[in-house]
Amino acid sequence: MAESGSNATIIATIITVIGSVAVAVISNWDKIFPKPQVSPPPVTSAAPQPAPNGIPLANGNSEVPPTPAVIDISGTWYNPSAPANGSRIVQQNSGFQFSSWGMLPQGIGYESKGSGTVVAQNISYNYFAQYQNGWTSQGNCSGTVSSDGRQITATCSDNVLGTFVSAGIKQ
């Protein structure tokens, strides 16, 4: 009789494990089996192609718009909602590297390093973070820079913290 009870426990445990694995697979199906990217068919045309700003010239060539100036974001930054959290950015042309430090709302300290680009008023960057409790995480962010280069707002996706908004003010 005791043998039948232990068999039932083993069977219940196996069913629980299978159910947990099934839930994990189903909830991450899009990551395990991403949809293939379909590229549009190539465009063939005998007509001259207009410039990005759409102004064709009489000779069939197109006027090329001037390249926008790169916004300078180099310097020291802080988070207005958590002033003890900061970053130091070193920029060269449109590329930059940074190091950041601070405290999570849960009281866990962190340091991070990363790199990214600024194109017009668009910013994107990747980072790797280390936390005082031994955790590590990585993520990527994209957002905007103010035209004067003194404010940054970005939405970030982190493999530990999830999605969050990051804001910075240049000192």
Side-chain angles (χ1 to χ4, degrees), residues 92-145:
Q92 185 173 10
N93 300 318
S94 63
F96 66 91
Q97 292 80 42
F98 67 93
S99 58
S100 298
W101 60 89
M103 190 77 62
L104 295 177
Q106 300 85 350
I108 302 168
Y110 70 89
E111 292 183 356
S112 67
K113 293 185 182 296
S115 62
T117 57
V118 177
V119 177
Q121 286 184 257
N122 299 311
I123 187 169
S124 62
Y125 53 95
N126 298 308
Y127 65 87
F128 178 81
Q130 293 181 301
Y131 303 91
Q132 285 179 336
N133 64 359
W135 293 352
T136 60
S137 72
Q138 58 188 8
N140 57 68
C141 306
S142 62
T144 58
V145 179

Side-chain angles (χ1 to χ4, degrees), residues 3 17 21 39 71 74 80 83-85 89 104 121 129 134 141 152 158 165:
E3 188 174 313
V17 170
V21 170
S39 57
I71 297 174
S74 58
N85 296 0
I89 297 175
L104 295 177
Q121 286 184 257
C141 306
I152 295 174
D158 185 285
V165 174

Side-chain angles (χ1 to χ4, degrees), residues 8-77:
T9 302
I10 291 171
I11 291 171
T13 303
I14 291 172
I15 291 171
T16 301
V17 170
I18 291 171
S20 296
V21 170
V23 167
V25 168
I26 291 169
S27 64
N28 289 295
W29 191 264
D30 61 327
K31 294 173 189 83
I32 297 169
F33 301 104
K35 291 183 180 180
Q37 297 293 328
V38 178
S39 57
V43 176
T44 56
S45 172
Q49 296 295 317
N53 66 0
I55 304 172
L57 300 176
N59 64 4
N61 293 330
S62 299
E63 181 180 320
V64 178
T67 304
V70 175
I71 297 174
D72 180 16
I73 62 168
S74 58
T76 304
W77 292 74

